[in-house]
């Protein structure tokens, strides 16, 4: 058990076990089975533990609202629309991504184990959260994986050279298993920052780098408010409402990567692109995910893969840092360091974001005593 939450100024330090327990209680009360409530709470808390607050517990109020609005549906099981030996087309039926992603990746892993390679095309999934979760799941089975994700119905990002929203934040993720060690996980939004990072900044959390957004007049800015516009009192910020847009990372190259996610997950995978000409209304929100799986063992004819990976990691890490005393990191390393630190110390949340979570629990009818019991002390 923990000693509850420490509030200091605008920050609340929330023990991760307590956060998970409260998350489980919230999603169970909101209509998810205990197993699904556990998957959601564990994965959202896991994102905060790894430093990706944008895809963590700050989403709890929004997810609960989505259940009420019918955007995401609790307790769904995927449907196989096409079931081939080495690929599958999967319908997520707007279920919670924390469940749907797991089911889909397990289908891909099973086929790759049999055939050496596999592809899954996931349509109509609820929010898949931190995509690194799925690459980690595959890597744990010695499967190399690549995940290309789009967000149908989400227009947040302006293409290179524009101030109009035409794209989602479309993440790209890849995982490489490391024998006897932690996997290499490359996982990022193709926007300069994830939308949730703008939300975190709007709620008083970590500020954004300059130029993360373009405002309605075409000026580059670090201010997240052009994404949300005016938030009504007691309302939840809606990233669809502002006059500005997020920007793609890496100028024309990142904008091109973002475009590719739409082609693969949206068009080829069949989940539908962020927006389509001729459709008068915003398309229904969902994640599409086009994933490749390669069984490392099937390709490792010389039994050299693990040694090659390890030696290259060491080679890269031996590079001279630009800052004296600095460290050169490989993908996934920063998240692991944050995981160790936050597991020990707790999750730092903006007080406003923490209060939103507590109020979500209260609105669902979870009493103060039960909230404190879940968190392990005063909140
Ligand atoms: P980010 O900008 O923090 O980049 C993370 C990646 O960069 C990781 O692979 C990390 O290991 C690596 N990295 C970070 N610092 C490094 C350093 N100093 N040296 C070397 N490598 C380093 O990530 P982001 O763009 O903010 O994305 C955050 C999360 O949002 C991701 O988990 C992504 O999957 C998720 N996301 C999800 C959706 C969705 O629709 N489900 C949409 C967008 C983003």
């Amino acid at each position: 058990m923990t000693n509850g939450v420490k509030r200091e100024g605008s920050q609340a330090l929330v023990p991760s076990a307590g956060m998970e327990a409260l998350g489980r209680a919230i999603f169970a009360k909101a209509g998810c089975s205990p197993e699904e409530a556990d998957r959601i709470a564990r994965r959202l808390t896991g994102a905060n533990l790894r430093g990706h607050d944008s895809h963590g517990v700050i989403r709890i109020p929004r997810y609960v609202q989505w259940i009420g609005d019918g955007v995401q549906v609790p307790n769904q099981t995927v449907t196989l629309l096409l079931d081939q030996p080495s690929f599958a087309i999967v319908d997520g039926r707007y279920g919670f991504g924390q469940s749907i992603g797991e089911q889909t990746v397990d289908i891909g892993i099973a086929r790759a184990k049999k055939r050496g390679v596999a592809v899954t095309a996931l349509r109509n999934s609820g929010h898949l959260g931190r995509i690194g979760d799925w690459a980690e799941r595959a890597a744990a089975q010695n499967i190399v994986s690549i995940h290309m994700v789009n967000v149908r119905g989400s227009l947040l990002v302006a293409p290179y050279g524009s101030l109009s929203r035409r794209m989602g934040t479309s993440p790209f993720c890849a995982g490489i298993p490391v024998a006897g060690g932690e996997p290499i996980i490359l996982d990022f939004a193709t926007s300069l920052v994830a939308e949730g990072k703008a939300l975190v900044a709007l709620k008083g959390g970590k500020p954004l780098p300059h130029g993360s957004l373009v405002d309605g007049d075409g000026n580059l800015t670090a201010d997240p408010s052009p994404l949300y516009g005016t938030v009504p009192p007691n309302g939840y910020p809606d990233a669809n409402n502002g006059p500005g847009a997020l920007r793609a990372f890496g100028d024309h190259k990142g904008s091109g990567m973002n475009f590719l996610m739409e082609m693969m997950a949206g068009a080829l995978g069949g989940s539908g692109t962020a927006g389509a000409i001729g459709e008068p209304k915003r398309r229904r929100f969902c994640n599409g995910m086009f994933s490749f799986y390669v069984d490392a063992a099937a390709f490792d004819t010389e039994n050299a893969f693990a040694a090659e990976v390890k030696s290259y990691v060491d080679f890269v890490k031996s590079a001279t840092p630009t800052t004296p005393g600095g460290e050169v990191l490989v993908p996934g390393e920063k998240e692991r360091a944050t995981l160790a630190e936050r597991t020990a110390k707790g999750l730092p949340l903006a007080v406003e974001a923490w209060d939103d979570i507590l109020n979500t629990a209260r609105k669902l009818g979870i009493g103060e005593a039960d909230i404190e019991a879940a968190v392990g002390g005063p909140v």
Side-chain angles (χ1 to χ4, degrees):
M1 263 295 142
T2 63
N3 296 322
V5 174
K6 284 194 204 99
R7 289 179 182 250
E8 263 178 26
S10 61
Q11 202 190 69
L13 199 60
V14 185
S16 62
M19 184 65 255
E20 241 184 78
L22 182 61
R24 274 196 297 274
I26 288 175
F27 286 106
K29 196 84 176 169
C32 299
S33 68
E35 295 76 22
E36 179 160 89
D38 176 62
R39 281 191 288 270
I40 302 168
R42 188 162 30 87
R43 294 216 158 94
L44 291 182
T45 305
N48 285 80
L49 278 170
R50 287 163 182 80
H52 290 297
D53 298 356
S54 59
H55 284 68
V57 296
I58 197 168
R59 305 252 166 184
I60 289 177
R62 189 181 289 178
Y63 278 10
V64 170
Q65 189 186 323
W66 280 351
I67 295 177
D69 297 346
V71 175
Q72 287 196 174
V73 187
N75 310 322
Q76 295 302 298
T77 305
V78 299
T79 305
L80 278 178
L81 298 176
L82 190 67
D83 186 6
Q84 294 289 326
S86 63
F87 75 97
I89 301 177
V90 178
D91 189 337
R93 306 169 70 205
Y94 301 98
F96 270 84
Q98 288 74 11
S99 299
I100 297 301
E102 188 173 296
Q103 293 166 27
T104 303
V105 168
D106 287 351
I107 288 169
I109 292 171
R111 278 161 180 68
K113 284 276 179 203
K114 268 195 186 155
R115 301 271 157 174
V117 293
V119 168
T120 56
L122 169 61
R123 303 173 181 172
N124 304 328
S125 175
H127 191 244
L128 287 160
R130 185 182 78 94
I131 306 303
D133 274 337
W134 313 124
E136 282 169 8
R137 193 169 179 89
Q141 302 288 324
N142 201 31
I143 302 282
V144 172
S145 68
I146 295 177
H147 309 270
M148 304 172 95
V149 177
N150 86 325
V151 201
R152 191 184 74 206
S154 168
L155 298 175
L156 297 172
V157 179
Y160 181 63
S162 153
L163 57 80
S164 309
R165 298 172 178 216
R166 290 291 183 271
M167 304 160 148
T169 54
S170 301
F172 174 83
C173 178
I176 310 284
V178 175
E182 297 293 341
I184 292 162
I185 304 290
L186 179 64
D187 174 27
F188 56 78
T190 52
S191 50
L192 218 146
V193 296
E195 184 267 316
K197 289 208 162 101
L199 183 62
V200 169
L202 191 79
K203 294 266 171 200
K206 198 176 165 198
L208 302 174
H210 179 70
S212 301
L213 288 97
V214 54
D215 70 16
D217 298 319
N219 303 308
L220 304 191
T221 178
D223 177 9
S225 56
L227 199 60
Y228 300 95
T230 311
V231 182
N234 300 322
Y236 196 72
D238 184 346
N240 296 317
N241 286 346
L246 293 172
R247 295 178 65 232
F249 84 102
D251 294 331
H252 55 290
K253 302 183 192 183
S255 190
M257 281 277 286
N258 183 307
F259 190 87
L260 191 64
M261 301 304 131
E262 295 292 347
M263 295 296 97
M264 298 301 288
L268 184 60
S271 198
T273 55
I277 289 172
E279 292 195 17
K281 285 215 242 150
R282 186 71 69 87
R283 304 182 108 182
R284 180 169 177 183
F285 175 90
C286 75
N287 268 151
M289 180 164 78
F290 201 92
S291 304
F292 302 90
Y293 310 81
V294 178
D295 184 5
F299 279 71
D300 196 9
T301 53
E302 308 299 321
N303 203 16
F305 178 63
E308 192 74 29
V309 169
K310 279 188 187 149
S311 85
Y312 190 65
V313 167
D314 291 344
F315 180 54
V316 168
K317 289 192 65 61
S318 72
T320 308
T322 46
T323 326
E327 192 188 352
V328 177
L329 303 177
V330 294
E333 236 187 320
K334 190 174 170 198
E335 284 77 7
R336 272 197 300 283
T338 312
L339 174 65
E341 191 194 320
R342 291 188 172 182
T343 302
K345 293 188 182 158
L347 310 178
L349 299 181
V351 158
E352 204 185 320
W354 173 235
D355 283 339
D356 283 348
I357 296 169
L358 291 174
N359 288 333
T360 301
R362 289 172 187 134
K363 274 189 215 157
L364 285 165
I366 304 176
E368 294 305 314
D370 288 339
I371 291 175
E372 290 202 5
V375 177
V379 296

